[in-house]
Each structure stands twice: as structure tokens, then as C-alpha cells.
Amino acid sequence: MELIDEASTGEALSHSRKQYELAMNGQWESLKRFYKGREFEVLGQMTTKNDTVLHVAGLAGRKDVLVFLISLIEEDRDALIVENNRGNTPLHEVAASGNFDSAKLLVEYNGALVEIRNHLGETPLYRAAAFGHTDLVQYLATQVDGDIKQHFHRNDKVSILHMAVLGQHFETAHWLVTEYPYLANGKEENGLTSLQLLAQMPSAFKLKFRESIWIKLHRHICLCNDDNIDRDPANQNDDLESGFNHPSQSTFSNDDLESGSTRTIRRTTIRWAPICIMGEEMRNQNVLLELTELLVRKDYSWAKIEPTEVVNSFSLVSKPNSPQKKEDAETKSTYEYIPLFIATRTGISQIVEKILELHPQAVEAHDIKHQQNILHMAIKYRRLAIFNIVKKNKFITSRLADVIDNDGNTILHHAADMSYYTDMSFYSVDAKATYGPAFQLQEELHWMARVQKIIPVNYAMHRNKEGVTANELFTRQHAELLQSAKVWMKETAQSGSVVAALVATVAYAAVYTVPGGTNQNGLPNLRHSPFFKAFTISNTVSLVFSLTSLGTFLNITRSPFEYKNFYHSLPFKLNLGFLLLFCSLLVSMLTFAATIVLLIHHQKIWSISLIYVVVAILPFSMFGLNHNRFYDVFFKGLKDIKKKLRCCKRMYVRIRMQL
């Protein structure tokens, strides 16, 4: 029986092969000519999803094709209610494409299309919101008869606002919350509100145009090489899934796409694509922040209060755990957290800041099951920006810092705990990227130092229910990281010392092989040239920097690799060594350039050309290494040197005062 059905379906589809190929290739004029005089085939099956040509033209957003097809079947207005395998009518497909004129055409022809639901329970209004077509949502909302609330939910209870937020269509979501405020507190079947969903989207709050200029340049090159640059990002998934052409692509025929004017338009679009994307991103960020404020104003989940049976207090001895099975905090479902804690976990400081601005009392909210507050969460997940927001008010910080959770952990225990690194999706959103285990260990030591400044002094001796203090927990959990940092630091220092020794050797040899040679008295023949002075100074500086760098790297290999040394001493020495090494390499290039100019200085055209080449190449040579890492090392090295000089200055002042 199945074979017979497959054969009959395949045979029926084979009859529509011609019109299918025309539609997929965007040959709409040829498609019109095909259906002229074949009105009976307009409602025939064209795809395996039981789409008719009306569905295909609707998804492509071709109003002219829809007008022509409707003229063929205008005697039967109910013909537009034809559904595919998903229960979508042509208006559902037009709502996905976002073509306003096509939607208006279908609604004016048959207003009943607005009320029809597909198999998921989605009306065209819901589907337009899911794809972020705000203007179409506003229009369809005015065409609904009766209770519009029936259009705001589908079968699985996911609201129209949830779907707009999930699709990151924030302009549509903003309009929905403004017009229908009760949607803000609506919950889907798992109990999640729209604000809880938004708090799980850290990527939506990151601005790409703030990235390095070199990353932007790389992205621009990729965009220029992308053949699909003019596709609408909001509909790419739908296009890939269905295989249909996007409206912006299908407005031209194949012959039009080959014309020179169209190619010029496409090149212009590609050329200005990064600027357009930047402007659109800034506008979306403004809408997103406005949407966040609207949702936060309606959210009072932080005010939930439940009585607690056990009050944890300071203890110098371990307390046994309750006989109940201990639940790992990371296995806890997301919907059990309020939006404030979800945003803290994911590092979205904008949401946290807005909640604390509109609801100041929310800062004292706590997770009822684990008795953890926002300070515990920020420290646990290494959220420096949120930690600094809470720390602004010293009185509030003191009220939160002495809270001990149900496992007997203080905030210092959470700073020492590395078990939460198992889920790295919660990390490195607003923290600096670390390079190598040594810098990661330094960041961990800095976290301990930050927390120790705000926690009561006696809490350093507090033992949790496992019987360990925070320092003991830190030593236990960071032992493997300490070992990795030792190996990494030694290998890195040895590699740097090899390069420094090579540069020093070249600079030292250049002293005895000066350009132009020497006279009978051993004096350089070109010593009166200004370029010879440049050669001498640059070579001397290169030699000094490389030897100092070599000494710094050798000092690292002989240093004790203990926790306290990774807090500042060892990372500072490594940064200083690489800073000096880079400077020596840079000056070596100047030495080489001065040598060449000395040899050809009598040929002015060659000298000027060489200087131009050096000036042009020198900036790019700075990025031969990882440029992000170079900036970190360079500026951090200068900052550390500045601190050292200030300490020396203060010490000098004290000595003079004593004398």
C-alpha cells in the first residue's frame, strides 16, 4: 500500500516538475505564461510538502505573481484557504517572507485567512512576529476580528512575545510589550518569562563593531567574498530549510541579474555592507535596551520570599551534610532561577544594572534552595562587571558578603572553587581573555584578593560542610593548574630566551662589521653620515634590550613557582621580557634600514623609496604576532613598570624625610 501511495505521489509531482523548476530558478514571467490557460493546475501539489504555487509565490513575496494567480481563480475565494502539510495557508507563507503588499492583497481578497491556524497553532500574525516583520505584525493586528489574545499563543503555550525574543527580533518584541503589556509576565510551558529568555542571550548584548579594526577588516573581506551578502539574515534559516528564493533576490529575473546595472547595485551594497550592519546593530541595541527596561519594570520575581528553616553561621569546625542527596548547582534547571540570577550567570550586566536601578531592593534577593545571593553568583561565575556593580555600595556589600549558603560556603569559598569551570559557556563574556595557564592562575589569585577585601576577616577561618577553609579549597582545586602554569612558564621563558640570544648575537656582530668598512686606523669610513649615527644608536638599543630581555627570561626559569609568585611577580617578568624582546626586534629593523640607506645614500631615489617601504611595512610587522596579545603585553608591561616607578618614588621620598 505504501509503495502504491509513493508511486502515485511521485507521479503527481512529476507532472509539476516544469513549474517547480521555473519557481525555484526565479523565472516568474515564464511561470505566469505557463499557468495562463491552465487554471485547474493552480491548486495542484508542487512540492513534497504539498505546497501549491500560491504557497511558493507567497514565500517568495511576489505580489505580481499572486495577483496573476488570484485572477485565475477569482471566482472561488475559498481557494486561498488551501493548506500544505504544515497547515500553512498562502498567508502564513507571506507572513514568513514579510512582504507587506502581498499580505494586504490576500487579506483584502479573503479576510478569513487571518484567523486560520496551522498545525502548530500559529496564525499569520504569530508567524509574522516569529520572523520579525514588525510592520506586518502591526497591520495584521488591525485585521483581527474578536479577541486578539487568541493569536498570541500557539499549542505549546509559547507566546508571540517569547517567539520574538527567541528570534532576537527586538523591535517586534518592543512593539508587542508596548501595545500589550500583559505579555511581559506571560510564561511558556516550562515557566520561563520573556525576561528569563532574554537573560540567557549574552551574544545579543555584545556589539561587534567594538571589536578590533583588524577583525572588522577580516569580516569585511569575508562579506565581500560572500555571494549571499544581500540575503536577509532573519530569513536565512527559513530559506535554507525550504529551498525557496528570498524576495530580495527574486525581484529580478535571470536575465536581469546578468545586467550591468544590477551588478553595480550589488557591488555598491557589498561595499557599504559593514557600515549598514554597524548602523543596524546600533539601532537594534537601543531597541534591545528599551525592551529590557519594559520587561524589567513588569518583573517582580526578585520579591519572592520564603521562610528558611536553617540559618548558616560562622563555624571553625565542619558540619555534616544533611542525609538528603546533595544537588549540584549546575544541574538545576534554568527556569528555577529568577531573571536577576540568570543574567548574573550569563554575564549580561545591562540587565542586572537595569533591575537594580528600577528595583533597588532586588539586590538582596536570594536563591531559596541554595541560599545564595547575587554576590555569590557573580563570584562563582567570575562576572567582574556585575561584581563591580554590586560593590559600588559598601553598605549593601557588607550585608551580602557575610551570607553563608546551604553548603556552608562563603563568597570566598566560591572564589576558590573551580568546579563551575566545567560549563565554560558561562565564562569569559565580560572578563579578559587569558593566554596560558599562568595568566589564568593569576586571574584566579586576583579573584581571591578581590573577595578578601570585602569579606569579614574572621571568615577566612570558616570551614564549610566539607570541613575545608577557602584557602585550603583554593590550594586543593588549583594544584593541577599550578603544575600546568609551571611547565608553561618555563617553556615560554626558554623560547623567549632563545630568540633574545639570537637578536643579541646579531646586534653584537654588527658592531664589528659596520657598513662601509673601516680605514687604516680602524675608524668607520661612513662615520660622518647622519645615517651612521642612526645605525649606531639603534644597534646599541637593540643590543641592550635583547640582553635585558634575555636576563629577564633566565630569571624566570630560576624563580620559585609558588602561588604568591604567580599573583604578580612571574607574569610581570614574562610581560616585561616579551616587551623588551619586541622592542629589540623593532629597533633591529631600524638598524637594518639604516645600514641599507648608508650603502645607497648617494642614490636619492633609492633612499627615499626604501624609507617609504620601511614606514609602510613597520606597522604591519607589529601584528605579525597575535596583535591582541601584543596589546595586552605592551600596555600591561608599561602599566606594571609605571607602578614600580611610583613605588620607588614613594620609597625615595620616605628616605629623604627620614634623613
Side-chain angles (χ1 to χ4, degrees):
M1 186 66 181
E2 292 182 359
L3 293 176
I4 296 176
D5 291 340
E6 291 178 1
S8 60
T9 303
E11 185 177 354
L13 288 174
S14 64
H15 290 304
S16 60
R17 184 186 65 181
K18 178 65 175 179
Q19 53 267 44
Y20 177 83
E21 291 178 347
L22 292 175
M24 294 302 106
N25 294 324
Q27 299 176 0
W28 301 108
E29 295 300 326
S30 300
L31 188 69
K32 291 180 185 179
R33 291 193 295 269
F34 175 85
Y35 279 103
K36 191 172 184 179
R38 300 181 182 179
E39 296 82 357
F40 60 93
E41 294 190 25
V42 172
L43 301 180
Q45 181 181 3
M46 179 184 287
T47 70
T48 56
K49 296 179 181 178
N50 208 23
D51 293 300
T52 66
V53 66
L54 293 169
H55 292 88
V56 176
L59 184 58
R62 294 294 305 218
K63 179 185 176 182
D64 57 332
V65 179
L66 288 174
V67 170
F68 173 77
L69 295 174
I70 290 175
S71 67
L72 299 178
I73 56 173
E74 60 182 354
E75 297 180 358
D76 185 9
R77 291 183 176 268
D78 293 335
L80 288 178
I81 304 180
V82 60
E83 300 178 356
N84 60 13
N85 289 347
R86 299 177 179 178
N88 291 336
T89 64
L91 185 57
H92 281 91
E93 304 298 340
V94 171
S97 72
N99 190 287
F100 184 88
D101 294 334
S102 298
K104 189 174 181 180
L105 170 68
L106 295 178
V107 172
E108 291 177 351
Y109 189 77
N110 190 338
L113 292 171
V114 178
E115 306 291 337
I116 298 177
R117 296 175 176 269
N118 60 15
H119 296 334
L120 294 176
E122 300 172 338
T123 62
L125 171 62
Y126 188 102
R127 192 164 170 82
F131 284 89
H133 305 304
T134 308
D135 56 343
L136 192 53
V137 172
Q138 295 172 352
Y139 169 73
L140 293 176
T142 62
Q143 303 300 313
V144 173
D145 295 330
D147 188 9
I148 195 173
K149 293 182 180 180
Q150 302 298 323
H151 294 255
F152 290 164
H153 294 84
R154 63 182 190 182
N155 298 339
D156 58 1
K157 296 183 180 180
V158 177
S159 74
I160 191 172
L161 181 60
H162 285 94
M163 191 58 65
V165 171
L166 285 171
Q168 298 190 12
H169 305 303
F170 302 122
E171 184 178 355
T172 303
H174 182 273
W175 183 85
L176 289 170
V177 176
T178 304
E179 294 294 321
Y180 311 99
Y182 59 86
L183 288 173
N185 291 325
K187 297 182 178 180
E188 46 94 57
E189 59 183 357
N190 291 322
L192 286 170
T193 64
S194 298
L195 184 58
Q196 286 175 300
L197 292 176
L198 192 63
Q200 300 178 58
M201 301 178 180
S203 60
F205 289 84
K206 295 176 66 177
L207 295 176
K208 296 183 178 62
F209 66 85
R210 288 184 179 177
E211 295 174 342
S212 167
I213 186 63
W214 300 99
I215 298 178
K216 288 187 218 173
L217 180 61
H218 173 71
R219 182 179 289 110
H220 173 66
I221 295 173
C222 293
L223 286 170
C224 292
N225 292 331
D226 188 1
D227 293 333
N228 296 325
I229 183 63
D230 54 345
R231 290 172 62 88
D232 184 1
N235 295 334
Q236 280 187 5
N237 293 336
D238 188 72
D239 292 344
L240 292 173
E241 207 174 81
S242 60
F244 300 148
N245 291 331
H246 189 268
S248 63
Q249 291 179 324
S250 56
T251 50
F252 301 104
S253 65
N254 285 349
D255 296 334
D256 293 334
L257 290 175
E258 296 301 326
S259 65
S261 60
T262 303
R263 288 196 296 271
T264 304
I265 294 174
R266 178 168 300 212
R267 283 196 298 269
T268 305
T269 304
I270 293 174
R271 185 179 298 113
W272 293 101
I275 298 177
C276 295
I277 291 174
M278 185 182 300
E280 182 69 17
E281 186 179 356
M282 293 178 65
R283 190 175 67 86
N284 288 339
Q285 281 293 312
N286 293 333
V287 175
L288 174 57
L289 295 178
E290 293 176 3
L291 171 64
T292 301
E293 182 174 353
L294 291 176
L295 294 177
V296 168
R297 288 186 182 277
K298 298 291 182 180
D299 179 72
Y300 296 98
S301 58
W302 51 269
K304 185 178 181 181
I305 300 176
E306 290 186 8
T308 55
E309 299 179 359
V310 181
V311 178
N312 293 286
S313 59
F314 175 80
S315 176
L316 291 173
V317 296
S318 62
K319 296 180 180 180
N321 288 320
S322 60
Q324 297 180 356
K325 184 178 179 181
K326 180 181 177 181
E327 180 187 9
D328 184 8
E330 294 309 314
T331 63
K332 189 177 182 183
S333 300
T334 303
Y335 62 83
E336 294 184 31
Y337 287 106
I338 61 176
L340 177 64
F341 290 157
I342 296 177
T344 303
R345 293 177 69 188
T346 54
I348 306 178
S349 58
Q350 295 93 328
I351 294 181
V352 173
E353 193 169 13
K354 186 59 66 175
I355 291 176
L356 298 183
E357 176 187 340
L358 299 178
H359 309 293
Q361 300 96 322
V363 73
E364 298 195 30
H366 62 278
D367 174 27
I368 296 172
K369 183 173 262 187
H370 295 278
Q371 291 300 306
Q372 296 175 357
N373 55 41
I374 186 175
L375 202 55
H376 288 85
M377 292 281 185
I379 294 171
K380 179 195 306 183
Y381 297 106
R382 309 304 194 255
R383 300 303 181 189
L384 180 58
I386 298 174
F387 177 81
N388 290 332
I389 291 173
V390 178
K391 201 179 66 170
K392 287 180 180 178
N393 191 312
K394 293 183 179 180
F395 180 71
I396 292 177
T397 303
S398 64
R399 288 173 57 85
L400 300 178
D402 62 352
V403 176
I404 300 174
D405 66 13
N406 282 346
D407 294 323
N409 293 322
T410 64
I411 58 175
L412 194 59
H413 281 85
H414 288 297
D417 192 5
M418 285 191 69
S419 61
Y420 303 101
Y421 275 104
T422 54
D423 187 357
M424 293 304 295
S425 62
F426 289 109
Y427 294 92
S428 300
V429 174
D430 59 354
K432 290 183 179 179
T434 56
Y435 301 86
F439 292 98
Q440 183 182 357
L441 181 58
Q442 184 187 32
E443 289 295 326
E444 289 291 292
L445 290 167
H446 285 176
W447 265 109
M448 288 291 289
R450 291 188 191 101
V451 177
Q452 283 178 338
K453 292 179 180 179
I454 64 173
I455 197 172
V457 178
N458 60 321
Y459 272 44
M461 300 297 296
H462 171 77
R463 296 183 181 273
N464 62 9
K465 292 184 177 181
E466 295 182 356
V468 295
T469 63
N471 289 328
E472 292 172 351
L473 181 63
F474 183 91
T475 303
R476 177 191 302 177
Q477 294 211 0
H478 291 77
E480 185 177 348
L481 181 59
L482 176 62
Q483 185 61 33
S484 300
K486 289 179 182 179
V487 176
W488 183 86
M489 184 67 77
K490 284 184 178 181
E491 292 179 351
T492 306
Q494 289 172 358
S495 301
S497 62
V498 171
V499 179
L502 179 61
V503 176
T505 302
V506 173
Y508 186 80
V511 176
Y512 297 98
T513 56
V514 293
T518 58
N519 56 20
Q520 296 177 352
N521 298 324
L523 298 176
N525 295 324
L526 302 176
R527 62 184 181 278
H528 300 295
S529 173
F531 292 105
F532 185 81
K533 295 179 181 179
F535 162 79
T536 304
I537 294 173
S538 60
N539 189 67
T540 303
V541 172
S542 176
L543 180 60
V544 172
F545 280 174
S546 58
L547 289 176
T548 308
S549 174
L550 178 60
T552 304
F553 288 130
L554 293 177
N555 182 266
I556 291 175
T557 59
R558 302 297 299 173
S559 300
F561 294 95
E562 300 177 356
Y563 282 116
K564 61 180 180 181
N565 294 322
F566 280 97
Y567 180 81
H568 177 75
S569 176
L570 288 175
F572 168 74
K573 290 177 182 178
L574 188 64
N575 286 331
L576 179 61
F578 275 109
L579 176 63
L580 294 171
L581 178 58
F582 179 82
C583 291
S584 67
L585 291 171
L586 192 63
V587 178
S588 296
M589 294 182 62
L590 297 178
T591 304
F592 173 77
T595 303
I596 299 299
V597 172
L598 274 172
L599 297 177
I600 61 173
H601 68 280
H602 57 282
Q603 299 180 6
K604 186 175 181 180
I605 183 64
W606 285 102
S607 301
I608 296 177
S609 301
L610 179 62
I611 293 174
Y612 285 155
V613 170
V614 172
V615 172
I617 294 178
L618 196 58
F620 291 96
S621 67
M622 297 173 61
F623 299 91
L625 304 174
N626 187 320
H627 59 274
N628 290 328
R629 180 61 186 148
F630 164 72
Y631 278 132
D632 289 341
V633 171
F634 185 79
F635 290 111
K636 190 171 183 179
L638 291 180
K639 187 177 180 181
D640 290 339
I641 293 173
K642 189 176 180 181
K643 288 182 179 179
K644 291 287 186 182
L645 293 176
R646 285 181 178 176
C647 293
C648 294
K649 183 179 180 180
R650 287 195 295 267
M651 186 179 299
Y652 173 73
V653 172
R654 290 174 184 172
I655 294 174
R656 287 195 60 182
M657 291 177 63
Q658 291 177 358
L659 294 176

